[in-house]
Amino acid sequence: MSNRVSDLETQTRAMCLQFLDAAKDAGHDIRVTHTLRTMDEQAHLFAKGRELPGPVVTMAEPGASPHNWGAAFDICFAGPDPFAEHHPWTALGLIGI
C-alpha cells in the first residue's frame, strides 16, 4: 500500500495537495496514510472481518475501490490526540467539500 501523494492520478493528486494545504492553514496536523492500493491489497482489506479476523474495514471489493485507481486518499492526525479538546473531523470534512 502506498502513502505517496505522487501515486495518485492527476486530478486526485491536485485535490489532495489542495486539501492538505487547507487543512494545514486551518491548524490541523494531518498526514496521508493510503493512496494507491493493488488489487491484492484491496482483497486482503476486504477479507478482514469476513475470512480474516477483526472488524470489517471496507465494503469495496478489489476493483471497486477508488484506491485501486489512485483516485482516493486516506488521512490521519499526525499530532496530539485530536479528540482531547474538540472534534476536528467535522472541520476536515468541510475543508474537503
Side-chain angles (χ1 to χ4, degrees):
M1 262 180 257
S2 173
N3 66 352
R4 295 181 303 268
V5 174
S6 61
D7 285 342
L8 294 169
E9 60 85 23
T10 305
Q11 185 176 7
T12 305
R13 183 180 327 123
M15 292 170 65
C16 179
L17 292 171
Q18 181 181 6
F19 175 80
L20 293 172
D21 286 344
K24 183 178 180 181
D25 290 346
H28 301 292
D29 188 14
I30 62 172
R31 67 182 177 89
V32 174
T33 58
H34 297 113
T35 55
L36 184 64
R37 291 185 193 140
T38 66
M39 297 296 173
D40 286 343
E41 290 165 339
Q42 189 68 34
H44 182 78
L45 287 177
F46 187 76
K48 288 185 178 182
R50 296 175 178 88
E51 294 87 27
L52 296 175
V56 170
V57 295
T58 182
M59 299 303 288
E61 294 185 49
S65 172
H67 286 283
N68 298 140
W69 315 109
F73 59 95
D74 297 336
I75 60 165
C76 73
F77 288 93
D81 181 359
F83 300 107
E85 297 180 26
H86 62 286
H87 196 285
W89 285 109
T90 300
L92 287 174
L94 293 172
I95 289 169
I97 292 179

